[in-house]
């Protein structure tokens, strides 16, 4: 089963980025090309009944499978980045994390009105980063149609926060 293979390949890193956090490291997964191909295929399969116009990936690990997923779905990819990383005019959204605060931004012309946007990231924890990305999509009058994640930490209830934007949340691995 794919979930078992992914769980066996992930690496837990204790006390990163701060004491008390157990970081789910996906870099061992990235070293397995066949597993990455299976993951991309499985993510696309979960989304087969969702009309997606654009995939938006959240910096930085959301870029890894987000771009591959956009290619499989044959739709554009839009990067949502940390503040100061995009070269053109942007809009910004600040948010709190489990271990600090940050700001995301996207180009002001990233989406057109009414587009259905899939937001992809590697991991859903409390949902703060993804909510900020959702607000950026909404500010540009596009629709958050669904979310996809490699990993969901269900015990942190991040999915509850995402339901305000879309009830469609998909992941391959749950803890």
């Amino acid at each position: 089963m794919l979930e078992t293979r992914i769980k066996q390949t992930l690496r837990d890193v204790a006390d990163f980025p701060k004491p008390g956090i157990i970081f789910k490291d996906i870099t061992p997964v990235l070293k397995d090309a066949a597993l990455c191909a299976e993951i991309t295929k499985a993510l696309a399969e979960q989304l087969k009944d969702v009309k997606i116009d654009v995939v938006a990936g959240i910096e930085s690990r959301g870029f890894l499978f987000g771009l591959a997923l956009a290619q499989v779905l044959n739709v554009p990819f839009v990067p949502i980045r940390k503040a100061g990383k995009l070269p053109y005019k942007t809009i910004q959204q600040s948010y709190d994390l489990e271990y600090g605060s940050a700001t995301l931004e996207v180009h002001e012309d990233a989406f057109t009105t009414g587009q259905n946007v899939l937001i992809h990231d590697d991991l859903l924890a409390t949902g703060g980063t993804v909510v900020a990305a959702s607000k950026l999509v909404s500010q540009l009058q596009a629709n958050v149609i669904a979310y996809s994640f490699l990993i969901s930490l269900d015990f942190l209830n991040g999915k509850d926060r995402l339901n305000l934007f879309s009830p469609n949340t998909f992941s391959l691995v749950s803890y």
Side-chain angles (χ1 to χ4, degrees), residues 106-127:
V106 69
H107 282 143
E108 66 181 16
D109 62 355
F111 312 109
T112 59
T113 300
Q115 278 189 311
N116 289 332
V117 179
L118 167 72
I119 296 178
H120 176 78
D121 205 356
D122 69 319
L123 182 135
L124 173 62
T126 62

Side-chain angles (χ1 to χ4, degrees), residues 6-7 9-13 23-28 31:
I6 295 169
K7 282 183 173 182
T9 308
L10 290 169
R11 175 175 38 213
D12 286 349
V13 179
F23 185 83
K24 297 293 185 190
D25 182 8
I26 68 167
T27 56
K31 291 169 47 177

